Amino acid sequence: KVGAGTVINEAILQQAIEAGSDFIVTPAVSPKLLTALTKCGVPVLPGVSNTGDILMALEYGFEEQKLFPASLAGGAPFVSAVSSVFRTVSFCPTGGVSESNKMDYLSLNNVFAVGGTWVAKKEWVAQENWQAITDSCIQVIK
């Protein structure tokens, strides 16, 4: 599957859909963007950074959300704290998540995945070193 990230408005969303994106990821939410996302026809992971964002995304029907930037939004303690209020919401924290702290998040019941740049370093992508990225991904899930 191939997705489009950093979707911040309807124009980018439309470009991503026309390009054949299988899913959409946003760094933030707004009522206008959430309205468009509910109509786009592919799975969406809207980005949230506080309880107001979480509630807004939930009101639009999004129970799986990306917490970004996780480290600045309160990290694993924040994710844990909101679990009692937003019982149906699960998160994919990104932004400040690393190999050394990923388990702080993954050990929480309301986290279904994490994202981090350590898995696919910029130089590996630039060098088209797909094996290094594959090996890194395998190491992460062990």
Side-chain angles (χ1 to χ4, degrees):
K1 302 261 180 198
V2 176
T6 318
V7 172
I8 60 171
N9 59 45
E10 290 179 82
I12 296 171
L13 174 60
Q14 189 59 40
Q15 290 172 350
I17 297 300
E18 289 173 4
S21 294
D22 294 307
F23 62 92
I24 301 295
V25 181
T26 76
V29 293
S30 71
K32 186 175 181 179
L33 181 57
L34 285 166
T35 298
L37 293 170
T38 62
K39 299 173 184 176
C40 75
V42 298
V44 173
L45 192 60
V48 299
S49 62
N50 59 56
T51 55
D53 290 350
I54 295 168
L55 180 59
M56 185 176 8
L58 185 59
E59 287 175 344
Y60 280 82
F62 296 102
E63 292 187 339
E64 293 181 334
Q65 303 175 8
K66 170 185 164 180
L67 179 65
F68 175 78
S71 62
L72 297 179
F78 174 79
V79 177
S80 178
V82 300
S83 68
S84 64
V85 177
F86 299 105
R87 293 186 176 129
T88 64
V89 177
S90 58
F91 298 95
C92 175
T94 70
V97 178
S98 65
E99 190 169 11
S100 64
N101 70 5
K102 71 180 186 293
M103 290 312 298
D104 295 344
Y105 295 97
L106 290 171
S107 65
L108 300 172
N109 290 335
N110 60 340
V111 171
F112 65 90
V114 297
T117 56
W118 85 93
V119 178
K121 295 180 181 176
K122 288 181 182 180
E123 60 267 21
W124 294 343
V125 174
Q127 297 164 356
E128 298 183 8
N129 189 346
W130 313 129
Q131 189 60 53
I133 295 169
T134 300
D135 293 346
S136 179
C137 291
I138 291 168
Q139 187 62 37
V140 168
I141 60 174
K142 285 186 177 181

